[in-house]
Amino acid sequence: MGLQMDKAALNAFLVHQFPQVAAQYAIEDVGEMCLTLRLIAAEQHLRPGGTVSGPAMFGLADVATYLAILAMIGPTALTVTTNANIDFMRKPAAGVDLICKARVLKLGRVLAVGDGLIYGVGQADPVARAALTYSIPPQSVPLA
């Protein structure tokens, strides 16, 4: 199948379709069935104690996996999350960005399944693991 969207196209998509959150993320790398995304940790992402909150980690995993899927299928309208599970395994270090390494495990006609490991920058062990499923619309409608 091959990549349908590269880093520049995914960044443009994010800015155009999700301007409210685009500045919070930076795509580090895009490959076949995988993508690495950074959450630029800011005050709105923190919980008491200065570490990134669970909802912010979930958002990172969701956006990373979503972009990994779009990299493979192109800018398909209405590709949506249908299931998500996340395990919080350890507390991220205070004041650091987080990195999600997302993989597309199965890319079907109507469903895509992926996962993401989230790391604190400078931390060797993952802080969270997410498993996500997305519905791909039956009549893929590219976004302008």
PDB file of all heavy atoms in Angstrom, residues 18-56:
ATOM      1  N   PHE A  18      -7.770  20.453  12.670  1.00  0.00           N
ATOM      2  CA  PHE A  18      -7.794  20.521  14.131  1.00  0.00           C
ATOM      3  C   PHE A  18      -6.927  21.683  14.641  1.00  0.00           C
ATOM      4  O   PHE A  18      -6.014  21.479  15.442  1.00  0.00           O
ATOM      5  CB  PHE A  18      -7.309  19.199  14.738  1.00  0.00           C
ATOM      6  CG  PHE A  18      -8.168  18.028  14.380  1.00  0.00           C
ATOM      7  CD1 PHE A  18      -7.805  17.165  13.350  1.00  0.00           C
ATOM      8  CD2 PHE A  18      -9.355  17.793  15.059  1.00  0.00           C
ATOM      9  CE1 PHE A  18      -8.614  16.095  13.010  1.00  0.00           C
ATOM     10  CE2 PHE A  18     -10.165  16.712  14.719  1.00  0.00           C
ATOM     11  CZ  PHE A  18      -9.797  15.860  13.694  1.00  0.00           C
ATOM     12  N   PRO A  19      -7.231  22.913  14.197  1.00  0.00           N
ATOM     13  CA  PRO A  19      -6.392  24.052  14.595  1.00  0.00           C
ATOM     14  C   PRO A  19      -6.389  24.284  16.106  1.00  0.00           C
ATOM     15  O   PRO A  19      -5.430  24.845  16.641  1.00  0.00           O
ATOM     16  CB  PRO A  19      -7.017  25.235  13.851  1.00  0.00           C
ATOM     17  CG  PRO A  19      -8.431  24.824  13.595  1.00  0.00           C
ATOM     18  CD  PRO A  19      -8.383  23.331  13.393  1.00  0.00           C
ATOM     19  N   GLN A  20      -7.425  23.831  16.803  1.00  0.00           N
ATOM     20  CA  GLN A  20      -7.518  24.036  18.242  1.00  0.00           C
ATOM     21  C   GLN A  20      -6.462  23.256  19.027  1.00  0.00           C
ATOM     22  O   GLN A  20      -6.161  23.610  20.167  1.00  0.00           O
ATOM     23  CB  GLN A  20      -8.932  23.724  18.750  1.00  0.00           C
ATOM     24  CG  GLN A  20      -9.335  22.264  18.686  1.00  0.00           C
ATOM     25  CD  GLN A  20      -9.905  21.812  17.341  1.00  0.00           C
ATOM     26  OE1 GLN A  20      -9.604  22.363  16.286  1.00  0.00           O
ATOM     27  NE2 GLN A  20     -10.729  20.762  17.371  1.00  0.00           N
ATOM     28  N   VAL A  21      -5.893  22.197  18.436  1.00  0.00           N
ATOM     29  CA  VAL A  21      -4.891  21.398  19.155  1.00  0.00           C
ATOM     30  C   VAL A  21      -3.583  21.221  18.388  1.00  0.00           C
ATOM     31  O   VAL A  21      -2.625  20.676  18.945  1.00  0.00           O
ATOM     32  CB  VAL A  21      -5.435  19.997  19.537  1.00  0.00           C
ATOM     33  CG1 VAL A  21      -6.622  20.108  20.473  1.00  0.00           C
ATOM     34  CG2 VAL A  21      -5.759  19.172  18.317  1.00  0.00           C
ATOM     35  N   ALA A  22      -3.524  21.652  17.150  1.00  0.00           N
ATOM     36  CA  ALA A  22      -2.358  21.368  16.300  1.00  0.00           C
ATOM     37  C   ALA A  22      -1.042  21.821  16.922  1.00  0.00           C
ATOM     38  O   ALA A  22      -0.031  21.118  16.822  1.00  0.00           O
ATOM     39  CB  ALA A  22      -2.546  22.001  14.921  1.00  0.00           C
ATOM     40  N   ALA A  23      -1.028  22.962  17.576  1.00  0.00           N
ATOM     41  CA  ALA A  23       0.218  23.498  18.138  1.00  0.00           C
ATOM     42  C   ALA A  23       0.711  22.691  19.342  1.00  0.00           C
ATOM     43  O   ALA A  23       1.860  22.850  19.762  1.00  0.00           O
ATOM     44  CB  ALA A  23       0.034  24.958  18.532  1.00  0.00           C
ATOM     45  N   GLN A  24      -0.129  21.813  19.873  1.00  0.00           N
ATOM     46  CA  GLN A  24       0.262  21.009  21.032  1.00  0.00           C
ATOM     47  C   GLN A  24       1.114  19.798  20.653  1.00  0.00           C
ATOM     48  O   GLN A  24       1.708  19.172  21.519  1.00  0.00           O
ATOM     49  CB  GLN A  24      -0.989  20.507  21.767  1.00  0.00           C
ATOM     50  CG  GLN A  24      -1.850  21.610  22.322  1.00  0.00           C
ATOM     51  CD  GLN A  24      -3.104  21.066  22.977  1.00  0.00           C
ATOM     52  OE1 GLN A  24      -3.113  19.963  23.525  1.00  0.00           O
ATOM     53  NE2 GLN A  24      -4.173  21.832  22.914  1.00  0.00           N
ATOM     54  N   TYR A  25       1.143  19.478  19.360  1.00  0.00           N
ATOM     55  CA  TYR A  25       1.803  18.254  18.901  1.00  0.00           C
ATOM     56  C   TYR A  25       2.864  18.547  17.849  1.00  0.00           C
ATOM     57  O   TYR A  25       2.728  19.487  17.068  1.00  0.00           O
ATOM     58  CB  TYR A  25       0.776  17.283  18.304  1.00  0.00           C
ATOM     59  CG  TYR A  25      -0.293  16.880  19.276  1.00  0.00           C
ATOM     60  CD1 TYR A  25      -1.580  17.407  19.196  1.00  0.00           C
ATOM     61  CD2 TYR A  25      -0.026  15.969  20.301  1.00  0.00           C
ATOM     62  CE1 TYR A  25      -2.569  17.036  20.092  1.00  0.00           C
ATOM     63  CE2 TYR A  25      -1.007  15.604  21.198  1.00  0.00           C
ATOM     64  CZ  TYR A  25      -2.274  16.142  21.093  1.00  0.00           C
ATOM     65  OH  TYR A  25      -3.242  15.777  21.989  1.00  0.00           O
ATOM     66  N   ALA A  26       3.875  17.690  17.802  1.00  0.00           N
ATOM     67  CA  ALA A  26       4.901  17.759  16.765  1.00  0.00           C
ATOM     68  C   ALA A  26       5.159  16.344  16.258  1.00  0.00           C
ATOM     69  O   ALA A  26       5.477  15.448  17.050  1.00  0.00           O
ATOM     70  CB  ALA A  26       6.190  18.363  17.309  1.00  0.00           C
ATOM     71  N   ILE A  27       4.992  16.148  14.958  1.00  0.00           N
ATOM     72  CA  ILE A  27       5.267  14.838  14.369  1.00  0.00           C
ATOM     73  C   ILE A  27       6.776  14.683  14.272  1.00  0.00           C
ATOM     74  O   ILE A  27       7.458  15.492  13.646  1.00  0.00           O
ATOM     75  CB  ILE A  27       4.614  14.706  12.985  1.00  0.00           C
ATOM     76  CG1 ILE A  27       3.089  14.837  13.105  1.00  0.00           C
ATOM     77  CG2 ILE A  27       4.999  13.374  12.329  1.00  0.00           C
ATOM     78  CD1 ILE A  27       2.366  14.960  11.773  1.00  0.00           C
ATOM     79  N   GLU A  28       7.291  13.644  14.913  1.00  0.00           N
ATOM     80  CA  GLU A  28       8.727  13.396  14.927  1.00  0.00           C
ATOM     81  C   GLU A  28       9.153  12.529  13.741  1.00  0.00           C
ATOM     82  O   GLU A  28      10.209  12.749  13.172  1.00  0.00           O
ATOM     83  CB  GLU A  28       9.126  12.703  16.229  1.00  0.00           C
ATOM     84  CG  GLU A  28       8.726  13.454  17.480  1.00  0.00           C
ATOM     85  CD  GLU A  28       9.826  14.337  18.003  1.00  0.00           C
ATOM     86  OE1 GLU A  28      10.963  13.861  18.120  1.00  0.00           O
ATOM     87  OE2 GLU A  28       9.528  15.507  18.303  1.00  0.00           O
ATOM     88  N   ASP A  29       8.322  11.522  13.410  1.00  0.00           N
ATOM     89  CA  ASP A  29       8.699  10.581  12.367  1.00  0.00           C
ATOM     90  C   ASP A  29       7.443   9.886  11.838  1.00  0.00           C
ATOM     91  O   ASP A  29       6.504   9.651  12.597  1.00  0.00           O
ATOM     92  CB  ASP A  29       9.667   9.527  12.939  1.00  0.00           C
ATOM     93  CG  ASP A  29      10.266   8.641  11.869  1.00  0.00           C
ATOM     94  OD1 ASP A  29      10.675   9.162  10.811  1.00  0.00           O
ATOM     95  OD2 ASP A  29      10.312   7.415  12.080  1.00  0.00           O
ATOM     96  N   VAL A  30       7.454   9.591  10.545  1.00  0.00           N
ATOM     97  CA  VAL A  30       6.360   8.854   9.912  1.00  0.00           C
ATOM     98  C   VAL A  30       6.977   7.725   9.103  1.00  0.00           C
ATOM     99  O   VAL A  30       7.924   7.940   8.344  1.00  0.00           O
ATOM    100  CB  VAL A  30       5.533   9.752   8.958  1.00  0.00           C
ATOM    101  CG1 VAL A  30       4.404   8.957   8.321  1.00  0.00           C
ATOM    102  CG2 VAL A  30       5.004  10.975   9.673  1.00  0.00           C
ATOM    103  N   GLY A  31       6.446   6.532   9.263  1.00  0.00           N
ATOM    104  CA  GLY A  31       6.904   5.394   8.490  1.00  0.00           C
ATOM    105  C   GLY A  31       5.723   4.543   8.085  1.00  0.00           C
ATOM    106  O   GLY A  31       4.575   4.850   8.418  1.00  0.00           O
ATOM    107  N   GLU A  32       6.007   3.473   7.390  1.00  0.00           N
ATOM    108  CA  GLU A  32       4.963   2.539   6.985  1.00  0.00           C
ATOM    109  C   GLU A  32       4.346   1.919   8.240  1.00  0.00           C
ATOM    110  O   GLU A  32       5.040   1.265   9.010  1.00  0.00           O
ATOM    111  CB  GLU A  32       5.576   1.459   6.090  1.00  0.00           C
ATOM    112  CG  GLU A  32       4.569   0.509   5.546  1.00  0.00           C
ATOM    113  CD  GLU A  32       4.329   0.692   4.061  1.00  0.00           C
ATOM    114  OE1 GLU A  32       4.970   1.535   3.436  1.00  0.00           O
ATOM    115  OE2 GLU A  32       3.470  -0.028   3.545  1.00  0.00           O
ATOM    116  N   MET A  33       3.067   2.191   8.473  1.00  0.00           N
ATOM    117  CA  MET A  33       2.287   1.635   9.588  1.00  0.00           C
ATOM    118  C   MET A  33       2.770   2.110  10.961  1.00  0.00           C
ATOM    119  O   MET A  33       2.477   1.473  11.980  1.00  0.00           O
ATOM    120  CB  MET A  33       2.277   0.102   9.535  1.00  0.00           C
ATOM    121  CG  MET A  33       1.793  -0.496   8.217  1.00  0.00           C
ATOM    122  SD  MET A  33       0.032  -0.337   7.972  1.00  0.00           S
ATOM    123  CE  MET A  33      -0.557  -1.800   8.820  1.00  0.00           C
ATOM    124  N   CYS A  34       3.485   3.246  11.021  1.00  0.00           N
ATOM    125  CA  CYS A  34       3.938   3.748  12.312  1.00  0.00           C
ATOM    126  C   CYS A  34       4.146   5.263  12.260  1.00  0.00           C
ATOM    127  O   CYS A  34       4.352   5.839  11.185  1.00  0.00           O
ATOM    128  CB  CYS A  34       5.205   3.046  12.774  1.00  0.00           C
ATOM    129  SG  CYS A  34       6.615   3.289  11.686  1.00  0.00           S
ATOM    130  N   LEU A  35       4.081   5.866  13.433  1.00  0.00           N
ATOM    131  CA  LEU A  35       4.269   7.313  13.536  1.00  0.00           C
ATOM    132  C   LEU A  35       4.713   7.628  14.958  1.00  0.00           C
ATOM    133  O   LEU A  35       4.257   6.987  15.917  1.00  0.00           O
ATOM    134  CB  LEU A  35       2.946   8.031  13.230  1.00  0.00           C
ATOM    135  CG  LEU A  35       2.975   9.554  13.251  1.00  0.00           C
ATOM    136  CD1 LEU A  35       2.254  10.112  12.032  1.00  0.00           C
ATOM    137  CD2 LEU A  35       2.365  10.094  14.524  1.00  0.00           C
ATOM    138  N   THR A  36       5.591   8.592  15.094  1.00  0.00           N
ATOM    139  CA  THR A  36       6.031   9.052  16.407  1.00  0.00           C
ATOM    140  C   THR A  36       5.595  10.504  16.563  1.00  0.00           C
ATOM    141  O   THR A  36       5.892  11.343  15.709  1.00  0.00           O
ATOM    142  CB  THR A  36       7.564   8.935  16.556  1.00  0.00           C
ATOM    143  OG1 THR A  36       7.943   7.576  16.336  1.00  0.00           O
ATOM    144  CG2 THR A  36       8.013   9.366  17.935  1.00  0.00           C
ATOM    145  N   LEU A  37       4.871  10.774  17.647  1.00  0.00           N
ATOM    146  CA  LEU A  37       4.298  12.091  17.893  1.00  0.00           C
ATOM    147  C   LEU A  37       4.704  12.587  19.273  1.00  0.00           C
ATOM    148  O   LEU A  37       4.695  11.823  20.234  1.00  0.00           O
ATOM    149  CB  LEU A  37       2.764  12.015  17.804  1.00  0.00           C
ATOM    150  CG  LEU A  37       1.986  13.316  17.910  1.00  0.00           C
ATOM    151  CD1 LEU A  37       2.227  14.206  16.687  1.00  0.00           C
ATOM    152  CD2 LEU A  37       0.492  13.039  18.067  1.00  0.00           C
ATOM    153  N   ARG A  38       5.059  13.869  19.346  1.00  0.00           N
ATOM    154  CA  ARG A  38       5.439  14.504  20.607  1.00  0.00           C
ATOM    155  C   ARG A  38       4.296  15.380  21.101  1.00  0.00           C
ATOM    156  O   ARG A  38       3.720  16.148  20.328  1.00  0.00           O
ATOM    157  CB  ARG A  38       6.678  15.369  20.403  1.00  0.00           C
ATOM    158  CG  ARG A  38       7.098  16.163  21.650  1.00  0.00           C
ATOM    159  CD  ARG A  38       8.259  17.092  21.348  1.00  0.00           C
ATOM    160  NE  ARG A  38       9.456  16.354  21.083  1.00  0.00           N
ATOM    161  CZ  ARG A  38      10.481  16.229  21.940  1.00  0.00           C
ATOM    162  NH1 ARG A  38      10.441  16.816  23.110  1.00  0.00           N
ATOM    163  NH2 ARG A  38      11.531  15.521  21.608  1.00  0.00           N
ATOM    164  N   LEU A  39       3.983  15.263  22.384  1.00  0.00           N
ATOM    165  CA  LEU A  39       3.104  16.214  23.050  1.00  0.00           C
ATOM    166  C   LEU A  39       4.007  17.270  23.660  1.00  0.00           C
ATOM    167  O   LEU A  39       4.868  16.952  24.494  1.00  0.00           O
ATOM    168  CB  LEU A  39       2.268  15.545  24.151  1.00  0.00           C
ATOM    169  CG  LEU A  39       1.497  16.505  25.055  1.00  0.00           C
ATOM    170  CD1 LEU A  39       0.388  17.221  24.295  1.00  0.00           C
ATOM    171  CD2 LEU A  39       0.938  15.772  26.270  1.00  0.00           C
ATOM    172  N   ILE A  40       3.832  18.501  23.235  1.00  0.00           N
ATOM    173  CA  ILE A  40       4.602  19.610  23.789  1.00  0.00           C
ATOM    174  C   ILE A  40       3.907  20.008  25.083  1.00  0.00           C
ATOM    175  O   ILE A  40       2.907  20.731  25.067  1.00  0.00           O
ATOM    176  CB  ILE A  40       4.697  20.767  22.775  1.00  0.00           C
ATOM    177  CG1 ILE A  40       5.310  20.250  21.474  1.00  0.00           C
ATOM    178  CG2 ILE A  40       5.482  21.928  23.361  1.00  0.00           C
ATOM    179  CD1 ILE A  40       5.114  21.148  20.280  1.00  0.00           C
ATOM    180  N   ALA A  41       4.409  19.485  26.182  1.00  0.00           N
ATOM    181  CA  ALA A  41       3.744  19.647  27.477  1.00  0.00           C
ATOM    182  C   ALA A  41       3.723  21.116  27.892  1.00  0.00           C
ATOM    183  O   ALA A  41       4.744  21.797  27.897  1.00  0.00           O
ATOM    184  CB  ALA A  41       4.442  18.800  28.534  1.00  0.00           C
ATOM    185  N   ALA A  42       2.518  21.569  28.215  1.00  0.00           N
ATOM    186  CA  ALA A  42       2.309  22.941  28.667  1.00  0.00           C
ATOM    187  C   ALA A  42       1.419  22.905  29.906  1.00  0.00           C
ATOM    188  O   ALA A  42       0.927  21.839  30.306  1.00  0.00           O
ATOM    189  CB  ALA A  42       1.667  23.767  27.553  1.00  0.00           C
ATOM    190  N   GLU A  43       1.183  24.050  30.483  1.00  0.00           N
ATOM    191  CA  GLU A  43       0.408  24.140  31.724  1.00  0.00           C
ATOM    192  C   GLU A  43      -0.929  23.410  31.647  1.00  0.00           C
ATOM    193  O   GLU A  43      -1.334  22.733  32.595  1.00  0.00           O
ATOM    194  CB  GLU A  43       0.190  25.610  32.078  1.00  0.00           C
ATOM    195  CG  GLU A  43      -0.454  25.841  33.427  1.00  0.00           C
ATOM    196  CD  GLU A  43       0.425  25.418  34.597  1.00  0.00           C
ATOM    197  OE1 GLU A  43       1.669  25.517  34.504  1.00  0.00           O
ATOM    198  OE2 GLU A  43      -0.149  24.969  35.613  1.00  0.00           O
ATOM    199  N   GLN A  44      -1.635  23.514  30.517  1.00  0.00           N
ATOM    200  CA  GLN A  44      -2.961  22.888  30.414  1.00  0.00           C
ATOM    201  C   GLN A  44      -2.914  21.364  30.429  1.00  0.00           C
ATOM    202  O   GLN A  44      -3.938  20.714  30.598  1.00  0.00           O
ATOM    203  CB  GLN A  44      -3.724  23.384  29.176  1.00  0.00           C
ATOM    204  CG  GLN A  44      -3.251  22.808  27.862  1.00  0.00           C
ATOM    205  CD  GLN A  44      -2.311  23.736  27.109  1.00  0.00           C
ATOM    206  OE1 GLN A  44      -1.605  24.543  27.703  1.00  0.00           O
ATOM    207  NE2 GLN A  44      -2.305  23.629  25.793  1.00  0.00           N
ATOM    208  N   HIS A  45      -1.736  20.776  30.248  1.00  0.00           N
ATOM    209  CA  HIS A  45      -1.597  19.316  30.239  1.00  0.00           C
ATOM    210  C   HIS A  45      -1.224  18.735  31.602  1.00  0.00           C
ATOM    211  O   HIS A  45      -1.172  17.518  31.743  1.00  0.00           O
ATOM    212  CB  HIS A  45      -0.527  18.888  29.230  1.00  0.00           C
ATOM    213  CG  HIS A  45      -0.789  19.362  27.857  1.00  0.00           C
ATOM    214  ND1 HIS A  45       0.027  20.252  27.214  1.00  0.00           N
ATOM    215  CD2 HIS A  45      -1.802  19.102  26.998  1.00  0.00           C
ATOM    216  CE1 HIS A  45      -0.464  20.510  26.015  1.00  0.00           C
ATOM    217  NE2 HIS A  45      -1.575  19.826  25.870  1.00  0.00           N
ATOM    218  N   LEU A  46      -0.944  19.591  32.569  1.00  0.00           N
ATOM    219  CA  LEU A  46      -0.382  19.126  33.833  1.00  0.00           C
ATOM    220  C   LEU A  46      -1.440  18.876  34.896  1.00  0.00           C
ATOM    221  O   LEU A  46      -2.487  19.505  34.921  1.00  0.00           O
ATOM    222  CB  LEU A  46       0.634  20.140  34.359  1.00  0.00           C
ATOM    223  CG  LEU A  46       1.785  20.479  33.402  1.00  0.00           C
ATOM    224  CD1 LEU A  46       2.742  21.458  34.070  1.00  0.00           C
ATOM    225  CD2 LEU A  46       2.502  19.239  32.925  1.00  0.00           C
ATOM    226  N   ARG A  47      -1.115  17.945  35.767  1.00  0.00           N
ATOM    227  CA  ARG A  47      -1.931  17.663  36.943  1.00  0.00           C
ATOM    228  C   ARG A  47      -1.143  18.141  38.151  1.00  0.00           C
ATOM    229  O   ARG A  47       0.036  18.488  38.010  1.00  0.00           O
ATOM    230  CB  ARG A  47      -2.237  16.157  37.019  1.00  0.00           C
ATOM    231  CG  ARG A  47      -0.991  15.285  37.161  1.00  0.00           C
ATOM    232  CD  ARG A  47      -1.258  13.805  37.258  1.00  0.00           C
ATOM    233  NE  ARG A  47      -2.198  13.413  38.267  1.00  0.00           N
ATOM    234  CZ  ARG A  47      -1.941  13.304  39.572  1.00  0.00           C
ATOM    235  NH1 ARG A  47      -0.714  13.548  40.001  1.00  0.00           N
ATOM    236  NH2 ARG A  47      -2.861  12.940  40.414  1.00  0.00           N
ATOM    237  N   PRO A  48      -1.750  18.171  39.329  1.00  0.00           N
ATOM    238  CA  PRO A  48      -0.985  18.562  40.519  1.00  0.00           C
ATOM    239  C   PRO A  48       0.280  17.710  40.645  1.00  0.00           C
ATOM    240  O   PRO A  48       0.254  16.500  40.442  1.00  0.00           O
ATOM    241  CB  PRO A  48      -1.965  18.280  41.670  1.00  0.00           C
ATOM    242  CG  PRO A  48      -3.316  18.457  41.038  1.00  0.00           C
ATOM    243  CD  PRO A  48      -3.156  17.923  39.629  1.00  0.00           C
ATOM    244  N   GLY A  49       1.372  18.347  40.930  1.00  0.00           N
ATOM    245  CA  GLY A  49       2.667  17.674  40.998  1.00  0.00           C
ATOM    246  C   GLY A  49       3.502  17.904  39.752  1.00  0.00           C
ATOM    247  O   GLY A  49       4.661  17.533  39.690  1.00  0.00           O
ATOM    248  N   GLY A  50       2.889  18.518  38.718  1.00  0.00           N
ATOM    249  CA  GLY A  50       3.655  18.916  37.538  1.00  0.00           C
ATOM    250  C   GLY A  50       3.839  17.855  36.476  1.00  0.00           C
ATOM    251  O   GLY A  50       4.574  18.068  35.517  1.00  0.00           O
ATOM    252  N   THR A  51       3.215  16.683  36.613  1.00  0.00           N
ATOM    253  CA  THR A  51       3.342  15.667  35.572  1.00  0.00           C
ATOM    254  C   THR A  51       2.166  15.780  34.597  1.00  0.00           C
ATOM    255  O   THR A  51       1.110  16.314  34.934  1.00  0.00           O
ATOM    256  CB  THR A  51       3.385  14.240  36.153  1.00  0.00           C
ATOM    257  OG1 THR A  51       2.167  13.977  36.841  1.00  0.00           O
ATOM    258  CG2 THR A  51       4.566  14.068  37.084  1.00  0.00           C
ATOM    259  N   VAL A  52       2.349  15.254  33.412  1.00  0.00           N
ATOM    260  CA  VAL A  52       1.297  15.284  32.401  1.00  0.00           C
ATOM    261  C   VAL A  52       0.134  14.401  32.866  1.00  0.00           C
ATOM    262  O   VAL A  52       0.336  13.291  33.350  1.00  0.00           O
ATOM    263  CB  VAL A  52       1.843  14.824  31.032  1.00  0.00           C
ATOM    264  CG1 VAL A  52       0.727  14.716  30.009  1.00  0.00           C
ATOM    265  CG2 VAL A  52       2.918  15.789  30.540  1.00  0.00           C
ATOM    266  N   SER A  53      -1.080  14.918  32.687  1.00  0.00           N
ATOM    267  CA  SER A  53      -2.285  14.232  33.155  1.00  0.00           C
ATOM    268  C   SER A  53      -2.654  13.041  32.275  1.00  0.00           C
ATOM    269  O   SER A  53      -2.250  12.947  31.114  1.00  0.00           O
ATOM    270  CB  SER A  53      -3.457  15.209  33.183  1.00  0.00           C
ATOM    271  OG  SER A  53      -3.847  15.541  31.857  1.00  0.00           O
ATOM    272  N   GLY A  54      -3.488  12.163  32.823  1.00  0.00           N
ATOM    273  CA  GLY A  54      -3.996  11.015  32.085  1.00  0.00           C
ATOM    274  C   GLY A  54      -4.770  11.408  30.837  1.00  0.00           C
ATOM    275  O   GLY A  54      -4.544  10.840  29.759  1.00  0.00           O
ATOM    276  N   PRO A  55      -5.696  12.384  30.923  1.00  0.00           N
ATOM    277  CA  PRO A  55      -6.413  12.783  29.711  1.00  0.00           C
ATOM    278  C   PRO A  55      -5.488  13.302  28.608  1.00  0.00           C
ATOM    279  O   PRO A  55      -5.724  13.046  27.431  1.00  0.00           O
ATOM    280  CB  PRO A  55      -7.367  13.877  30.201  1.00  0.00           C
ATOM    281  CG  PRO A  55      -7.602  13.543  31.632  1.00  0.00           C
ATOM    282  CD  PRO A  55      -6.273  13.004  32.118  1.00  0.00           C
ATOM    283  N   ALA A  56      -4.432  14.001  28.977  1.00  0.00           N
ATOM    284  CA  ALA A  56      -3.480  14.490  27.971  1.00  0.00           C
ATOM    285  C   ALA A  56      -2.730  13.322  27.333  1.00  0.00           C
ATOM    286  O   ALA A  56      -2.480  13.319  26.120  1.00  0.00           O
ATOM    287  CB  ALA A  56      -2.503  15.483  28.588  1.00  0.00           C
TER     288      ALA A  56
END
